[in-house]
Amino acid sequence: VGYTDFDILSAKFFSLYATCKEQLSNQRHYDWGLRNILSVLRTMGATKRENIDKPEAFLVYRTVRDMNLSKLVAQDVPLFLSLLADLFPGMAPPAKGEYPNEEAILSKVVEKYGLVYHNDWILKVIQLLETTRVRHGIMLVGPAGGGKSCIFKCLKDTLQECQGIQYKDARFNPKAIRAQEMYGETDPLSGEWTTGVFAAMWAKYNSRKNAYNTWIIADGPVDAIWIEDLNTVLDDNKILTLANGDRMPMTDNVKMMFEVETLVNASPATVSRAGIIYVSETDLDWAPVIEAWVRKRPDIKRQDILRSLITKWMGSCTPTDPGHCYDFLARNTNEVMKEGRVGKICSFTQLFEGLTEGTECASVGNNENMLAIHMERIFVYALCWSIAGLLEADGRMKFDTWLRDKDSNDIMPRVDEGESVFEYYVDPVTCEWKKWCPPKWDYPKGNKLDFSNLLVPTMDSTRAQYVIKNIHKQKGPVLIVGAEGTAKTSVQLMFLSNQNPKHMLTKRINFSSATTPGMAQYSIEAELDKRGGKNFGPPNGKKMTIFFDDVSMPEVNTWGDQTTLELVRLAVEYGGFCFLDKDKRGDFKVCEDLQYLAAMQHPGGGKNDIPNRLKRNFFIFNLVLPSITSIN
């Protein structure tokens, strides 16, 4: 069965795509070419055969809209919808696809993971669901902190419950290994073939005997070297071709997924082959993230206080306005490096939780009347060191003034001339503001003094260590940025020297421009013993803190990626990396009981930045040059 009004509808179809090419923003992941048209036409045919009685213009309208909306960035959506409305005048926009069964399960899954059922974000989950039905290669694109990993996680559980078949995901980072280690290589001397990490995974999961479905997720930046080799996989051939002549077909129980931040380096050949879902920064933003955290707090009274504090100090978040706190920081201050809003909010919740819950926490609200005041003091302290943690000295003074303007309950500390709220902290016992002062330092005894390794605590190091301690006890990674000579390394080394060696081992890894992912992986692996199965950990069941010094040093390759830091992200975010031993390729090595600290200089002026997706995993704050009081 074909379309009878094909002449009118094809003219509309052509003019829509021609206008889209000219009018919409010029994104690298847009494709209005033949492959896109072909997949839309196939779906149109299927919808026509299912709905023979419905008007044809209605079916075309619905299919073209639903298949193209997912890849549009947020600001292009209204324009695209108005173009469609102009092409089909007098027709009400068709209803969105209804998935009552899946959506009911999805809301349970979202609740199970303690997330918020945020409509713009749920729409992306549904779009991924629709795309999985028509494509076998799918790219989820969007800035760090947009909720991409959670989209995969929630949809996987939803489909598993819906269809009653187990779904697995196999992750690897194509940039944390060499291209030859990904696909396999021939030894030039012996001529022996060594299979690659991805090739081994492909062979393992593409088997019709498997009773489960697999999503192979490539979680790393796209560049033209490794992705072009997947061209035969992503188009209709569905075959992986290797250098030794092996051809492995893709089975129906496998989908190839990509989780990337941008597609700047992707060629049009790649973009047109994959179904693309673009998750804009404004689809989730920070409000649902902090709301999900508030709901997990044990005490109901505290939840209500927290909600009112968030509205008072941070404002409310809309797609056009991120709230008055972020707005002030963006307009009036210069941060030493860019970090996404969601990353800062996660840092904030981590610090606040460390100060108010668990071991060594502040005794908040011993009497009921003071609970709100105590919480507000700690809230402001956490706000300064997370949301405003990347400011230099002059920015800190501006932020201090702004906080005092907002302060209606008189909870800000009284400070001396030239000081700001950053010089004070909330005493855990009394919940009153106290000024930082370093502990008394005793001159070491003995005749031989090793001057170069003496570490004397200062006000700056003491307050930095307090922040590190509160994050580190929750197993959170901490990154310190600072200009030259702000004692970044010394602060981290002082913190490490205070650890109890019976429980916590320490290791320092210095990065340089010559560090490769293989070296970084080896220096972590060298410290680990086998614990059983694919799990490894520090010896004797202890824990270990690894300190990456100069984490921004590894070289940026021609594509603008830092491959060494992709490996670091894999280790920090997923707690492990892929085996590179020849007999274990294709398996994931789980590294237990590791915690991470890092230090780097300010980016800019010839010094590298680090990838945004790595920043999001760290608690980041800036060390300023010592004030006059410290020097005296």
Side-chain angles (χ1 to χ4, degrees):
V1 184
Y3 282 75
T4 41
D5 303 342
F6 62 88
D7 43 358
I8 299 177
L9 292 174
S10 59
K12 287 188 175 186
F13 192 102
F14 173 76
S15 52
L16 173 72
Y17 271 47
T19 323
C20 281
K21 237 183 235 175
E22 294 160 3
Q23 298 283 328
L24 298 189
S25 64
N26 188 12
Q27 304 284 338
R28 285 303 293 265
H29 64 266
Y30 283 0
D31 162 45
W32 307 102
L34 282 173
R35 273 209 184 88
N36 177 340
I37 294 172
L38 188 63
S39 62
V40 174
L41 289 178
R42 279 187 191 146
T43 317
M44 269 187 204
T47 30
K48 168 73 179 167
R49 288 185 278 283
E50 283 163 18
N51 308 292
I52 293 205
D53 48 344
K54 292 213 172 130
E56 290 184 342
F58 171 86
L59 297 178
V60 172
Y61 191 156
R62 193 175 72 186
T63 315
V64 169
R65 183 195 64 191
D66 291 351
M67 288 195 69
N68 284 315
L69 262 187
S70 64
K71 68 182 175 194
L72 299 180
V73 297
Q75 66 260 32
D76 281 341
V77 171
L79 182 56
F80 179 71
L81 293 178
S82 65
L83 284 176
L84 271 172
D86 293 348
L87 274 176
F88 296 93
M91 184 188 290
K96 287 195 178 70
E98 299 273 317
Y99 302 97
N101 191 9
E102 281 91 343
E103 285 185 38
I105 295 175
L106 181 60
S107 68
K108 284 183 201 149
V109 170
V110 166
E111 203 164 298
K112 175 179 89 179
Y113 284 123
L115 304 170
V116 174
Y117 197 85
H118 185 65
N119 289 331
D120 291 348
W121 181 80
I122 292 294
L123 179 66
K124 292 291 166 191
V125 184
I126 299 297
Q127 285 175 354
L128 179 63
L129 170 71
E130 292 174 338
T131 315
T132 51
R133 297 185 169 180
V134 291
R135 299 279 195 147
H136 62 277
I138 299 170
M139 290 190 173
L140 207 52
V141 190
K148 299 189 290 296
S149 304
C150 283
I151 290 178
F152 277 135
K153 189 167 72 173
C154 292
L155 184 62
K156 193 181 72 171
D157 285 25
T158 306
L159 290 176
Q160 194 161 299
E161 200 162 313
C162 239
Q163 302 167 358
I165 305 172
Q166 187 190 3
Y167 273 77
K168 291 187 177 181
D169 59 346
R171 280 180 182 272
F172 74 106
N173 189 332
K175 297 299 298 236
I177 43 183
R178 299 182 2 261
Q180 295 88 339
E181 286 165 346
M182 180 171 161
Y183 293 110
E185 57 188 323
T186 311
D187 187 316
L189 296 173
S190 63
E192 178 196 9
W193 172 258
T194 309
T195 183
V197 172
F198 175 67
M201 281 165 105
W202 187 260
K204 178 170 149 193
Y205 294 117
N206 280 289
S207 153
R208 294 199 170 82
K209 296 182 191 133
N210 292 349
Y212 50 85
N213 288 344
T214 314
W215 291 354
I216 300 181
I217 302 180
D219 181 2
V222 164
D223 70 24
I225 296 177
W226 68 269
I227 195 109
E228 293 284 333
D229 296 331
L230 288 178
N231 276 355
T232 47
V233 172
L234 294 175
D235 59 23
D236 295 346
N237 298 315
K238 294 196 188 180
I239 288 180
L240 178 69
T241 320
L242 297 174
N244 64 342
D246 279 2
R247 294 167 71 80
M248 297 188 247
M250 186 175 193
T251 53
D252 294 337
N253 52 8
V254 172
K255 294 232 184 288
M256 185 73 213
M257 308 274 197
F258 302 88
E259 191 181 327
V260 287
E261 188 183 3
T262 86
L263 286 179
V264 174
N265 297 320
S267 63
T270 304
V271 169
S272 63
R273 281 177 164 84
I276 290 181
I277 294 153
Y278 189 85
V279 187
S280 297
E281 197 178 13
T282 50
D283 285 338
L284 187 67
D285 225 328
W286 60 267
V289 179
I290 201 162
E291 174 58 29
W293 172 77
V294 171
R295 286 181 194 175
K296 290 184 195 143
R297 305 282 55 80
D299 184 358
I300 297 290
K301 277 205 296 277
R302 290 191 185 187
Q303 290 192 14
D304 299 334
I305 296 176
L306 275 170
R307 287 194 182 97
S308 65
L309 289 177
I310 291 165
T311 317
K312 173 180 171 182
W313 293 100
M314 291 161 138
S316 55
C317 170
T318 63
T320 47
D321 172 34
H324 48 240
C325 180
Y326 280 119
D327 193 52
F328 172 81
L329 288 171
R331 288 175 192 277
N332 301 298
T333 60
N334 283 329
E335 300 188 328
V336 293
M337 69 197 261
K338 291 270 175 282
E339 191 196 356
R341 293 196 283 268
V342 175
K344 286 184 181 170
I345 284 289
C346 295
S347 302
F348 169 80
T349 54
Q350 225 177 355
L351 181 55
F352 190 88
E353 201 173 317
L355 292 166
T356 54
E357 292 169 30
T359 52
E360 301 177 28
C361 71
S363 47
V364 185
N366 307 346
N367 53 0
E368 294 297 310
N369 320 336
M370 294 301 286
L371 178 66
I373 297 286
H374 289 175
M375 282 183 69
E376 190 161 6
R377 282 183 187 143
I378 295 176
F379 190 94
V380 169
Y381 172 81
L383 195 69
C384 293
W385 283 98
S386 55
I387 311 279
L390 290 172
L391 299 178
E392 285 285 40
D394 55 339
R396 289 181 171 187
M397 295 306 275
K398 287 181 190 166
F399 190 64
D400 181 77
T401 318
W402 181 83
L403 287 173
R404 288 176 194 284
D405 294 344
K406 280 260 172 279
D407 179 15
S408 50
N409 296 346
D410 195 30
I411 53 117
M412 293 289 285
R414 291 187 169 69
V415 300
D416 304 332
E417 181 69 30
E419 288 181 342
S420 66
V421 62
F422 285 86
E423 269 82 21
Y424 290 76
Y425 71 108
V426 180
D427 186 299
V429 184
T430 60
C431 286
E432 298 291 335
W433 288 101
K434 267 176 87 172
K435 190 170 173 178
W436 277 119
C437 65
K440 189 169 182 301
W441 184 72
D442 295 323
Y443 202 75
K445 296 186 173 58
N447 306 330
K448 289 198 170 171
L449 270 186
D450 184 3
F451 267 112
S452 58
N453 290 332
L454 277 188
L455 295 173
V456 184
T458 63
M459 186 190 91
D460 294 282
S461 73
T462 314
R463 64 183 178 183
Q465 278 180 330
Y466 183 69
V467 175
I468 298 172
K469 184 186 81 181
N470 278 302
I471 302 298
H472 189 266
K473 72 181 184 189
Q474 303 176 63
K475 303 192 165 55
V478 184
L479 166 66
I480 296 186
V481 293
E484 304 81 1
T486 46
K488 301 178 290 293
T489 308
S490 305
V491 167
Q492 298 278 36
L493 292 179
M494 273 159 95
F495 177 75
L496 292 178
S497 64
N498 294 335
Q499 300 297 315
N500 179 358
K502 288 182 183 158
H503 306 295
M504 179 67 77
L505 303 170
T506 58
K507 165 150 186 159
R508 176 180 176 184
I509 301 178
N510 281 1
F511 279 8
S512 73
S513 58
T515 312
T516 62
M519 292 176 188
Q521 181 165 339
Y522 176 73
S523 44
I524 298 174
E525 280 178 330
E527 304 295 323
L528 307 179
D529 290 357
K530 186 162 181 157
R531 287 194 174 174
K534 294 167 194 162
N535 294 11
F536 289 72
N540 308 332
K542 294 181 181 178
K543 295 184 164 64
M544 180 176 209
T545 302
I546 295 180
F547 169 39
F548 298 116
D549 203 358
D550 281 328
V551 76
S552 61
M553 288 283 277
E555 85 167 323
V556 180
N557 65 13
T558 38
W559 308 102
D561 307 318
Q562 282 157 296
T563 49
T564 313
L565 297 186
E566 289 301 322
L567 178 96
V568 172
R569 180 169 72 87
L570 203 60
V572 173
E573 195 168 344
Y574 296 108
F577 24 70
C578 297
F579 278 105
L580 292 183
D581 315 358
K582 291 186 180 175
D583 48 342
K584 295 184 187 158
R585 293 259 168 115
D587 286 338
F588 191 78
K589 180 173 190 170
V590 181
C591 305
E592 298 173 341
D593 290 336
L594 291 184
Q595 291 178 240
Y596 301 94
L597 299 175
M600 63 175 274
Q601 292 196 2
H602 291 164
K607 297 190 283 286
N608 306 334
D609 201 351
I610 61 172
N612 290 325
R613 298 188 65 192
L614 177 63
K615 285 179 196 170
R616 203 188 85 63
N617 290 299
F618 277 99
F619 181 100
I620 312 181
F621 66 95
N622 177 38
L623 274 190
V624 294
L625 285 162
S627 60
I628 301 299
T629 30
S630 293
I631 294 170
N632 294 343

